[in-house]
Coordinates of all heavy atoms in Angstrom, one line a residue:
M1 N -24.4 13.2 3.0 CA -25.3 14.2 3.7 C -25.5 15.4 2.7 O -24.5 15.8 2.0 CB -24.6 14.7 4.9 CG -25.0 13.9 6.2 SD -24.4 14.7 7.6 CE -22.7 14.7 7.4
K2 N -26.6 15.9 2.7 CA -26.9 17.1 1.9 C -27.1 18.3 2.8 O -27.6 18.2 3.9 CB -28.1 16.8 1.0 CG -27.8 15.9 -0.1 CD -29.1 15.5 -0.8 CE -28.7 14.4 -1.8 NZ -29.9 13.9 -2.4
Y3 N -26.7 19.4 2.2 CA -26.8 20.7 2.9 C -27.3 21.7 1.9 O -26.8 21.8 0.8 CB -25.5 21.1 3.5 CG -25.6 22.1 4.6 CD1 -25.9 21.7 5.9 CD2 -25.5 23.5 4.4 CE1 -26.0 22.6 7.0 CE2 -25.6 24.4 5.4 CZ -25.9 24.0 6.7 OH -26.0 24.9 7.7
P4 N -28.3 22.6 2.3 CA -28.8 23.5 1.3 C -27.8 24.6 1.0 O -27.0 25.0 1.8 CB -30.0 24.1 2.0 CG -29.8 23.8 3.5 CD -29.0 22.6 3.6
K5 N -27.9 25.2 -0.2 CA -27.0 26.2 -0.7 C -27.2 27.5 0.1 O -26.2 28.2 0.3 CB -27.2 26.5 -2.2 CG -26.1 25.9 -3.1 CD -26.4 26.3 -4.5 CE -25.5 25.5 -5.4 NZ -25.9 25.6 -6.8
E6 N -28.4 27.8 0.4 CA -28.7 29.0 1.2 C -29.4 28.6 2.4 O -30.4 27.9 2.4 CB -29.5 30.0 0.3 CG -28.6 30.6 -0.7 CD -29.4 31.5 -1.7 OE1 -30.7 31.4 -1.7 OE2 -28.8 32.3 -2.4
V7 N -29.0 29.2 3.6 CA -29.7 29.0 4.8 C -29.9 30.4 5.5 O -29.2 31.3 5.2 CB -28.9 28.1 5.8 CG1 -29.1 26.7 5.4 CG2 -27.5 28.4 5.9
R8 N -30.9 30.4 6.3 CA -31.2 31.6 7.1 C -30.9 31.3 8.5 O -31.5 30.5 9.1 CB -32.6 32.0 6.9 CG -32.9 33.5 7.3 CD -34.3 33.9 7.0 NE -34.7 34.9 7.9 CZ -34.3 36.2 7.8 NH1 -33.6 36.6 6.8 NH2 -34.7 37.1 8.7
T9 N -29.9 31.9 9.1 CA -29.5 31.6 10.4 C -28.9 32.9 11.1 O -28.7 33.9 10.5 CB -28.5 30.5 10.4 OG1 -28.2 30.1 11.8 CG2 -27.1 30.8 9.8
Y10 N -28.5 32.6 12.4 CA -28.0 33.8 13.2 C -26.7 34.2 12.8 O -25.8 33.4 12.6 CB -28.0 33.3 14.7 CG -27.5 34.4 15.6 CD1 -28.2 35.5 15.9 CD2 -26.2 34.2 16.2 CE1 -27.7 36.5 16.8 CE2 -25.7 35.2 17.0 CZ -26.4 36.3 17.3 OH -25.9 37.3 18.2
C11 N -26.5 35.5 12.7 CA -25.2 36.1 12.4 C -24.7 36.9 13.6 O -25.4 37.9 14.0 CB -25.2 37.0 11.2 SG -23.7 37.9 10.9
P12 N -23.6 36.5 14.2 CA -23.2 37.2 15.4 C -22.7 38.7 15.1 O -22.8 39.5 16.0 CB -22.0 36.4 15.9 CG -21.8 35.3 15.0 CD -22.7 35.4 13.9
N13 N -22.3 38.9 13.9 CA -21.9 40.3 13.6 C -23.1 41.2 13.4 O -23.1 42.4 13.8 CB -21.1 40.2 12.3 CG -20.3 41.5 12.1 OD1 -19.6 41.9 13.0 ND2 -20.5 42.1 10.9
C14 N -24.1 40.7 12.7 CA -25.4 41.5 12.5 C -26.3 41.4 13.7 O -27.2 42.2 13.8 CB -26.1 41.1 11.3 SG -25.1 41.0 9.8
N15 N -26.0 40.4 14.6 CA -26.8 40.2 15.8 C -28.3 39.9 15.4 O -29.2 40.3 16.1 CB -26.7 41.4 16.8 CG -27.1 41.0 18.2 OD1 -27.1 39.8 18.5 ND2 -27.5 41.9 19.0
S16 N -28.5 39.2 14.3 CA -29.9 38.9 13.9 C -29.8 37.8 12.9 O -28.7 37.4 12.4 CB -30.6 40.1 13.3 OG -29.9 40.5 12.2
H17 N -30.9 37.2 12.5 CA -31.0 36.2 11.5 C -30.8 36.8 10.1 O -31.4 37.8 9.8 CB -32.3 35.4 11.5 CG -32.2 34.2 12.4 ND1 -31.9 34.3 13.8 CD2 -32.4 32.9 12.2 CE1 -31.9 33.1 14.3 NE2 -32.2 32.2 13.4
Q18 N -29.9 36.2 9.3 CA -29.6 36.7 8.0 C -29.5 35.6 7.0 O -29.2 34.4 7.4 CB -28.3 37.5 8.0 CG -28.3 38.7 8.9 CD -29.2 39.8 8.4 OE1 -29.6 39.9 7.2 NE2 -29.5 40.7 9.3
P19 N -29.7 35.8 5.7 CA -29.5 34.7 4.7 C -28.0 34.5 4.6 O -27.2 35.4 4.5 CB -30.1 35.3 3.4 CG -30.2 36.7 3.6 CD -30.3 37.0 5.1
F20 N -27.6 33.2 4.5 CA -26.2 32.8 4.4 C -26.0 32.0 3.1 O -26.9 31.2 2.8 CB -25.7 32.0 5.6 CG -25.3 32.8 6.8 CD1 -26.3 33.4 7.6 CD2 -24.0 33.0 7.1 CE1 -25.9 34.1 8.7 CE2 -23.6 33.7 8.2 CZ -24.5 34.3 9.0
K21 N -24.9 32.1 2.4 CA -24.5 31.2 1.4 C -23.6 30.2 1.9 O -22.7 30.5 2.7 CB -23.8 32.0 0.3 CG -24.6 32.1 -1.0 CD -23.8 32.8 -2.1 CE -24.7 33.2 -3.2 NZ -24.1 34.1 -4.1
A22 N -23.9 28.9 1.6 CA -23.1 27.8 2.1 C -22.2 27.2 1.0 O -22.6 27.1 -0.1 CB -24.0 26.7 2.7
R23 N -20.9 26.9 1.4 CA -20.1 26.1 0.6 C -19.2 25.2 1.5 O -19.1 25.4 2.7 CB -19.2 27.0 -0.3 CG -18.3 27.9 0.4 CD -17.5 28.8 -0.6 NE -16.7 29.7 0.1 CZ -15.5 29.4 0.7 NH1 -15.1 28.2 0.7 NH2 -14.8 30.3 1.4
L24 N -18.5 24.2 0.8 CA -17.7 23.3 1.6 C -16.5 24.1 2.2 O -15.9 24.9 1.5 CB -17.2 22.2 0.7 CG -18.2 21.2 0.2 CD1 -17.6 20.2 -0.7 CD2 -18.9 20.5 1.4
A25 N -16.2 23.9 3.5 CA -15.1 24.5 4.1 C -13.8 23.8 3.7 O -13.8 22.6 3.6 CB -15.2 24.4 5.6
S26 N -12.8 24.6 3.3 CA -11.5 24.0 2.8 C -10.8 23.5 4.0 O -10.9 24.0 5.1 CB -10.7 25.0 2.0 OG -10.6 26.2 2.8
K27 N -9.9 22.5 3.8 CA -9.2 21.9 4.9 C -8.1 22.8 5.4 O -7.4 23.5 4.6 CB -8.5 20.6 4.3 CG -8.3 19.6 5.4 CD -7.6 18.4 4.8 CE -7.0 17.5 5.8 NZ -6.0 16.5 5.3
G28 N -7.9 22.9 6.7 CA -6.8 23.7 7.2 C -5.4 23.1 7.0 O -5.3 21.9 6.5
R29 N -4.4 23.8 7.3 CA -3.0 23.3 7.1 C -2.6 22.3 8.2 O -3.0 22.5 9.4 CB -2.0 24.4 7.1 CG -1.6 24.8 5.7 CD -0.4 25.6 5.5 NE 0.4 25.9 6.6 CZ 1.1 27.0 6.7 NH1 1.0 27.9 5.8 NH2 1.9 27.2 7.8
A30 N -1.9 21.3 7.9 CA -1.4 20.3 8.9 C -0.4 21.0 9.8 O 0.4 21.8 9.4 CB -0.8 19.1 8.2
R31 N -0.5 20.7 11.1 CA 0.4 21.3 12.1 C 1.6 20.4 12.3 O 1.5 19.3 12.6 CB -0.3 21.5 13.4 CG -1.5 22.5 13.4 CD -2.3 22.5 14.7 NE -2.9 21.2 14.9 CZ -2.9 20.6 16.1 NH1 -2.3 21.2 17.1 NH2 -3.4 19.5 16.3
S32 N 2.8 21.0 12.0 CA 4.0 20.2 12.0 C 4.4 20.0 13.5 O 5.2 19.1 13.8 CB 5.1 20.9 11.3 OG 5.4 22.2 11.9
M33 N 3.9 20.7 14.4 CA 4.2 20.6 15.8 C 3.1 19.7 16.6 O 3.2 19.7 17.8 CB 4.4 21.9 16.5 CG 5.6 22.7 16.1 SD 7.1 21.7 16.1 CE 7.5 21.6 17.9
A34 N 2.2 19.1 15.9 CA 1.2 18.3 16.5 C 1.9 17.1 17.1 O 2.9 16.6 16.7 CB 0.2 17.9 15.5
I35 N 1.3 16.5 18.2 CA 1.9 15.4 19.0 C 2.2 14.2 18.1 O 3.3 13.6 18.2 CB 1.1 15.1 20.2 CG1 1.8 14.1 21.1 CG2 -0.3 14.6 19.9 CD1 3.1 14.5 21.7
G36 N 1.3 13.9 17.2 CA 1.5 12.7 16.3 C 2.7 12.9 15.4 O 3.5 12.0 15.2
N37 N 2.8 14.1 14.8 CA 3.9 14.4 13.9 C 5.3 14.4 14.7 O 6.3 13.9 14.2 CB 3.7 15.8 13.3 CG 2.8 15.7 12.1 OD1 2.7 14.7 11.4 ND2 2.1 16.8 11.8
R38 N 5.3 14.9 15.9 CA 6.5 14.9 16.7 C 6.9 13.5 17.0 O 8.1 13.2 17.0 CB 6.3 15.8 17.9 CG 6.4 17.3 17.6 CD 6.3 18.1 18.9 NE 4.9 18.1 19.4 CZ 4.6 18.3 20.7 NH1 5.5 18.5 21.5 NH2 3.3 18.3 21.0
K39 N 6.0 12.7 17.4 CA 6.3 11.3 17.8 C 6.9 10.5 16.6 O 7.8 9.8 16.7 CB 5.0 10.6 18.2 CG 4.7 10.6 19.7 CD 3.5 9.7 20.0 CE 3.0 10.0 21.4 NZ 1.6 9.4 21.6
H40 N 6.2 10.7 15.4 CA 6.7 10.1 14.2 C 8.1 10.5 13.9 O 8.9 9.7 13.5 CB 5.7 10.4 13.1 CG 6.0 9.6 11.8 ND1 6.0 8.3 11.7 CD2 6.4 10.1 10.6 CE1 6.3 7.9 10.5 NE2 6.6 9.0 9.8
E41 N 8.4 11.8 13.9 CA 9.7 12.3 13.6 C 10.7 11.7 14.5 O 11.8 11.4 14.1 CB 9.7 13.8 13.6 CG 9.5 14.4 12.3 CD 9.3 15.9 12.3 OE1 9.9 16.6 13.2 OE2 8.5 16.4 11.6
R42 N 10.4 11.6 15.8 CA 11.3 11.1 16.8 C 11.6 9.6 16.5 O 12.8 9.2 16.6 CB 10.7 11.2 18.2 CG 11.7 11.4 19.3 CD 11.1 11.6 20.6 NE 10.0 12.6 20.7 CZ 8.8 12.4 21.3 NH1 8.5 11.2 21.8 NH2 7.9 13.3 21.3
S43 N 10.6 8.9 16.0 CA 10.8 7.5 15.8 C 11.7 7.3 14.5 O 12.3 6.2 14.3 CB 9.5 6.8 15.6 OG 8.9 7.2 14.4
L44 N 11.8 8.3 13.7 CA 12.6 8.2 12.5 C 14.0 8.5 12.7 O 14.9 8.4 11.8 CB 12.0 9.0 11.4 CG 10.6 8.7 10.8 CD1 10.2 9.6 9.7 CD2 10.6 7.2 10.3
L45 N 14.3 9.1 13.9 CA 15.7 9.5 14.2 C 16.6 8.3 14.3 O 16.2 7.2 14.6 CB 15.8 10.2 15.5 CG 15.2 11.7 15.5 CD1 15.2 12.2 16.9 CD2 15.9 12.6 14.6
G46 N 17.9 8.5 14.0 CA 18.9 7.4 14.1 C 18.8 6.3 13.1 O 18.1 6.5 12.0
H47 N 19.4 5.2 13.4 CA 19.3 4.0 12.5 C 18.0 3.3 12.7 O 17.4 3.4 13.8 CB 20.5 3.1 12.7 CG 21.8 3.8 12.4 ND1 22.1 4.1 11.1 CD2 22.8 4.2 13.2 CE1 23.3 4.7 11.2 NE2 23.7 4.8 12.4
G48 N 17.5 2.5 11.7 CA 16.3 1.8 11.9 C 15.3 2.0 10.8 O 14.4 1.2 10.6
G49 N 15.5 3.1 10.1 CA 14.6 3.3 8.9 C 13.2 3.7 9.2 O 12.9 4.2 10.3
K50 N 12.4 3.4 8.3 CA 11.0 3.9 8.4 C 10.2 3.0 9.4 O 10.5 1.8 9.5 CB 10.3 3.8 7.0 CG 10.8 4.9 6.1 CD 10.1 4.7 4.7 CE 10.7 5.8 3.8 NZ 10.2 5.6 2.4
V51 N 9.3 3.6 10.0 CA 8.4 2.9 11.0 C 7.0 3.0 10.5 O 6.4 4.1 10.4 CB 8.5 3.6 12.4 CG1 7.8 2.7 13.4 CG2 10.0 3.7 12.8
A52 N 6.5 1.9 10.1 CA 5.1 1.9 9.7 C 4.2 1.7 10.9 O 3.3 2.5 11.1 CB 4.8 0.8 8.7
G53 N 4.4 0.7 11.7 CA 3.7 0.5 12.9 C 2.3 0.0 12.7 O 1.7 0.2 11.6
E54 N 1.7 -0.6 13.7 CA 0.4 -1.1 13.6 C -0.6 -0.1 14.2 O -0.3 0.6 15.2 CB 0.2 -2.4 14.3 CG 0.6 -3.6 13.5 CD 0.5 -4.9 14.3 OE1 -0.4 -5.0 15.1 OE2 1.4 -5.7 14.1
K55 N -1.7 0.1 13.5 CA -2.6 1.1 14.0 C -3.4 0.5 15.2 O -4.1 -0.5 15.0 CB -3.5 1.6 12.9 CG -2.8 2.5 12.0 CD -3.6 2.9 10.8 CE -2.8 3.8 9.9 NZ -3.2 3.6 8.5
T56 N -3.4 1.2 16.3 CA -4.2 0.8 17.5 C -5.5 1.5 17.5 O -6.4 1.0 18.2 CB -3.4 1.1 18.8 OG1 -3.0 2.4 18.8 CG2 -2.2 0.1 18.9
V57 N -5.6 2.6 16.8 CA -6.8 3.4 16.8 C -7.7 3.0 15.7 O -7.2 3.0 14.5 CB -6.4 4.9 16.8 CG1 -7.7 5.7 16.9 CG2 -5.5 5.2 17.9
K58 N -8.9 2.8 15.9 CA -9.9 2.5 14.9 C -10.2 3.8 14.2 O -10.3 4.8 14.8 CB -11.2 1.9 15.5 CG -11.7 0.7 14.8 CD -12.9 0.2 15.5 CE -13.5 -0.9 14.7 NZ -14.8 -1.4 15.3
K59 N -10.4 3.7 12.9 CA -10.6 4.9 12.1 C -12.0 5.5 12.5 O -13.0 4.9 12.5 CB -10.6 4.6 10.6 CG -9.7 5.5 9.8 CD -9.8 5.0 8.3 CE -8.5 5.4 7.7 NZ -8.5 5.1 6.3
Q60 N -11.9 6.8 12.8 CA -13.1 7.5 13.1 C -13.5 8.3 11.9 O -12.7 8.7 11.1 CB -12.9 8.4 14.3 CG -12.9 7.7 15.6 CD -12.8 8.7 16.7 OE1 -11.9 9.6 16.6 NE2 -13.6 8.6 17.7
G61 N -14.8 8.7 11.8 CA -15.2 9.6 10.8 C -14.7 11.0 11.0 O -14.2 11.2 12.1
K62 N -14.9 11.8 10.1 CA -14.5 13.2 10.3 C -15.7 14.1 10.4 O -16.8 13.8 9.9 CB -13.6 13.6 9.1 CG -12.3 13.0 9.1 CD -11.4 13.4 8.0 CE -10.1 12.7 8.1 NZ -9.3 12.7 6.9
R63 N -15.4 15.2 11.0 CA -16.5 16.2 11.2 C -16.6 17.0 9.8 O -15.6 17.5 9.4 CB -16.2 17.2 12.3 CG -16.3 16.5 13.6 CD -16.2 17.5 14.8 NE -16.4 16.8 16.0 CZ -15.4 16.5 16.8 NH1 -14.1 16.7 16.4 NH2 -15.6 15.8 17.9
Q64 N -17.7 17.0 9.3 CA -17.9 17.7 8.0 C -18.3 19.1 8.3 O -19.2 19.4 9.1 CB -19.0 17.0 7.2 CG -18.7 15.6 6.8 CD -17.5 15.4 6.0 OE1 -17.3 16.2 5.1 NE2 -16.7 14.4 6.2
K65 N -17.6 20.1 7.6 CA -17.9 21.5 7.9 C -18.4 22.2 6.7 O -18.0 21.9 5.6 CB -16.6 22.1 8.4 CG -16.1 21.7 9.7 CD -14.8 22.4 10.1 CE -14.2 21.8 11.3 NZ -12.8 22.2 11.3
V66 N -19.2 23.2 6.9 CA -19.6 24.1 5.8 C -19.1 25.5 6.2 O -19.0 25.9 7.4 CB -21.1 24.2 5.6 CG1 -21.6 23.0 4.8 CG2 -21.9 24.3 6.9
M67 N -18.8 26.3 5.2 CA -18.4 27.7 5.4 C -19.6 28.5 5.1 O -20.1 28.5 3.9 CB -17.2 28.1 4.6 CG -16.7 29.5 4.8 SD -16.1 29.8 6.4 CE -14.5 29.0 6.3
L68 N -20.2 29.3 6.0 CA -21.3 30.1 5.8 C -20.9 31.6 5.6 O -20.1 32.1 6.4 CB -22.3 30.0 7.0 CG -22.9 28.6 7.2 CD1 -23.7 28.6 8.5 CD2 -23.7 28.1 6.0
E69 N -21.4 32.2 4.6 CA -21.1 33.6 4.4 C -22.3 34.4 4.4 O -23.3 34.2 3.7 CB -20.4 33.8 3.0 CG -19.8 35.2 2.8 CD -19.2 35.4 1.5 OE1 -18.8 34.4 0.8 OE2 -19.2 36.6 1.1
C70 N -22.3 35.4 5.3 CA -23.5 36.3 5.5 C -23.6 37.1 4.3 O -22.7 37.7 3.8 CB -23.3 37.1 6.8 SG -24.6 38.3 7.1
Q71 N -24.9 37.3 3.8 CA -25.1 38.0 2.6 C -25.2 39.5 2.9 O -25.2 40.4 2.0 CB -26.4 37.6 1.9 CG -26.3 36.1 1.4 CD -25.2 36.0 0.4 OE1 -25.3 36.5 -0.8 NE2 -24.1 35.4 0.8
T72 N -25.3 39.9 4.2 CA -25.5 41.3 4.6 C -24.1 41.9 4.9 O -23.7 42.9 4.3 CB -26.4 41.4 5.8 OG1 -27.5 40.5 5.6 CG2 -26.9 42.8 5.9
C73 N -23.3 41.2 5.8 CA -22.0 41.8 6.2 C -20.9 41.1 5.6 O -19.7 41.5 5.8 CB -21.9 41.8 7.7 SG -21.8 40.2 8.4
K74 N -21.1 40.0 4.8 CA -20.0 39.3 4.1 C -19.1 38.6 5.1 O -18.0 38.2 4.7 CB -19.3 40.2 3.1 CG -20.1 40.8 2.1 CD -20.6 39.7 1.0 CE -21.5 40.3 0.0 NZ -22.2 39.3 -0.8
K75 N -19.4 38.5 6.3 CA -18.5 37.8 7.3 C -18.8 36.3 7.1 O -19.9 35.8 6.8 CB -18.8 38.2 8.7 CG -18.4 39.6 9.0 CD -17.1 39.6 9.7 CE -16.7 41.1 10.0 NZ -15.4 41.2 10.6
K76 N -17.7 35.5 7.4 CA -17.8 34.0 7.3 C -17.8 33.4 8.6 O -17.1 33.9 9.5 CB -16.7 33.5 6.4 CG -16.8 33.8 5.0 CD -15.6 33.5 4.2 CE -15.5 34.1 2.8 NZ -14.2 34.1 2.3
Q77 N -18.4 32.3 8.7 CA -18.3 31.4 9.9 C -18.4 30.0 9.5 O -19.1 29.6 8.6 CB -19.3 31.8 11.0 CG -20.7 31.8 10.5 CD -21.7 32.1 11.6 OE1 -21.5 31.5 12.7 NE2 -22.6 33.0 11.4
E78 N -17.7 29.1 10.3 CA -17.6 27.7 10.0 C -18.7 27.0 10.8 O -18.9 27.4 12.0 CB -16.2 27.2 10.4 CG -15.7 26.2 9.3 CD -14.2 25.9 9.7 OE1 -14.0 25.6 10.9 OE2 -13.4 25.9 8.8
R79 N -19.3 26.0 10.3 CA -20.3 25.2 11.1 C -20.0 23.8 10.9 O -19.9 23.3 9.7 CB -21.7 25.6 10.6 CG -22.7 24.8 11.3 CD -24.1 25.3 11.0 NE -24.5 26.5 11.7 CZ -25.7 27.1 11.7 NH1 -26.6 26.6 10.8 NH2 -25.9 28.1 12.4
V80 N -20.0 23.0 11.9 CA -19.9 21.6 11.9 C -21.3 21.0 11.7 O -22.2 21.3 12.4 CB -19.3 21.0 13.2 CG1 -19.3 19.5 13.1 CG2 -17.9 21.5 13.3
V81 N -21.4 20.1 10.6 CA -22.7 19.5 10.3 C -22.7 18.1 10.9 O -22.0 17.3 10.4 CB -23.0 19.5 8.8 CG1 -24.3 18.9 8.6 CG2 -22.9 20.9 8.3
G82 N -23.5 17.9 11.9 CA -23.6 16.6 12.6 C -22.3 16.3 13.3 O -21.5 17.2 13.5
G83 N -22.0 15.1 13.7 CA -20.8 14.7 14.5 C -19.8 14.1 13.6 O -19.7 14.5 12.4
R84 N -19.1 13.1 14.1 CA -18.2 12.3 13.3 C -18.9 11.4 12.4 O -19.8 10.6 12.8 CB -17.2 11.6 14.1 CG -16.2 12.5 14.8 CD -15.2 11.7 15.6 NE -14.2 12.6 16.2 CZ -13.1 12.8 15.5 NH1 -12.8 12.3 14.3 NH2 -12.2 13.6 16.1
T85 N -18.7 11.4 11.1 CA -19.4 10.6 10.1 C -18.4 10.2 9.0 O -17.4 10.9 8.7 CB -20.6 11.3 9.6 OG1 -21.2 10.4 8.6 CG2 -20.3 12.6 9.0
K86 N -18.7 9.1 8.3 CA -17.9 8.7 7.2 C -18.6 9.2 5.9 O -18.0 9.1 4.8 CB -17.8 7.2 7.2 CG -17.0 6.7 8.3 CD -16.4 5.4 8.1 CE -15.4 5.1 9.2 NZ -15.0 3.7 9.2
K87 N -19.7 9.8 6.0 CA -20.4 10.4 4.8 C -19.8 11.7 4.4 O -19.5 12.5 5.3 CB -21.9 10.5 5.0 CG -22.5 9.1 5.1 CD -24.0 9.3 5.3 CE -24.7 7.9 5.4 NZ -26.1 8.0 5.9
K88 N -19.7 11.9 3.1 CA -19.2 13.2 2.6 C -20.4 14.2 2.6 O -21.5 13.8 2.3 CB -18.7 13.0 1.2 CG -17.2 12.4 1.2 CD -16.2 13.5 1.2 CE -14.9 13.2 1.8 NZ -14.2 12.0 1.1
L89 N -20.0 15.5 2.7 CA -21.0 16.5 2.7 C -21.2 17.1 1.3 O -20.2 17.2 0.6 CB -20.6 17.6 3.7 CG -21.6 18.7 4.0 CD1 -22.8 18.1 4.8 CD2 -21.0 19.8 4.7
E90 N -22.4 17.3 0.9 CA -22.7 17.9 -0.4 C -23.5 19.1 -0.2 O -24.5 19.1 0.6 CB -23.5 16.9 -1.3 CG -22.8 15.6 -1.6 CD -23.8 14.7 -2.3 OE1 -24.1 14.9 -3.4 OE2 -24.3 13.8 -1.6
V91 N -23.1 20.2 -0.9 CA -23.9 21.4 -0.8 C -24.8 21.4 -2.0 O -24.3 21.5 -3.2 CB -23.1 22.7 -0.7 CG1 -23.9 23.9 -0.7 CG2 -22.2 22.6 0.6
K92 N -26.1 21.3 -1.8 CA -27.1 21.3 -2.9 C -28.1 22.3 -2.8 O -28.3 22.9 -1.7 CB -27.7 19.9 -3.0 CG -26.7 18.9 -3.6 CD -27.4 17.6 -4.0 CE -26.4 16.8 -4.8 NZ -27.0 15.5 -5.1
A93 N -28.8 22.6 -3.9 CA -29.8 23.6 -3.9 C -31.0 23.3 -3.0 O -31.3 22.2 -2.7 CB -30.3 23.8 -5.3
Ligands
LIG1 ZN1 -24.0 39.4 9.1

């Protein structure tokens, strides 16, 4: 998927449409207290070694995000482009 480098869209801070610069949003930090991590850690307790397990869930695509920076107030906001997809997002001119 392609996304333009500059877009003109609504800025909640300026309360009007403003030019925005777009770049790929960086990935957030993994949560150590997420349910999946807690389950996995519990399964590793005691004897029995590593648990690989069979995957019951089919792989879903990920939501591709862009970070938009307002050129007037310099505030940033994240935007999801499309839904779940296996395609990578590219920011192009
Ligand atoms: Zn703004």
Side-chain angles (χ1 to χ4, degrees):
M1 271 190 298
K2 285 172 188 171
Y3 200 83
K5 253 182 191 168
E6 286 176 344
V7 280
R8 197 175 152 77
T9 186
Y10 177 72
C11 175
N13 196 52
C14 306
N15 200 23
S16 60
H17 270 59
Q18 298 293 340
F20 276 78
K21 250 187 195 166
R23 61 179 176 78
L24 292 177
S26 53
K27 206 184 165 193
R29 260 197 7 213
R31 294 173 298 137
S32 60
M33 290 311 284
I35 185 67
N37 277 332
R38 283 184 284 155
K39 266 184 196 168
H40 183 65
E41 264 171 37
R42 214 180 306 138
S43 70
L44 294 181
L45 288 175
H47 297 291
K50 290 179 181 173
V51 187
E54 275 176 40
K55 281 174 186 152
T56 50
V57 182
K58 225 179 178 184
K59 232 181 205 179
Q60 281 183 312
K62 287 181 179 162
R63 293 191 176 95
Q64 302 294 324
K65 290 176 190 166
V66 281
M67 185 62 81
L68 297 174
E69 191 183 333
C70 177
Q71 293 301 286
T72 321
C73 67
K74 300 288 176 193
K75 290 259 181 186
K76 286 172 195 161
Q77 53 177 314
E78 224 173 45
R79 175 176 281 184
V80 174
V81 181
R84 285 182 176 271
T85 175
K86 291 199 172 173
K87 287 179 181 171
K88 280 266 157 58
L89 190 67
E90 299 169 75
V91 176
K92 285 195 170 173

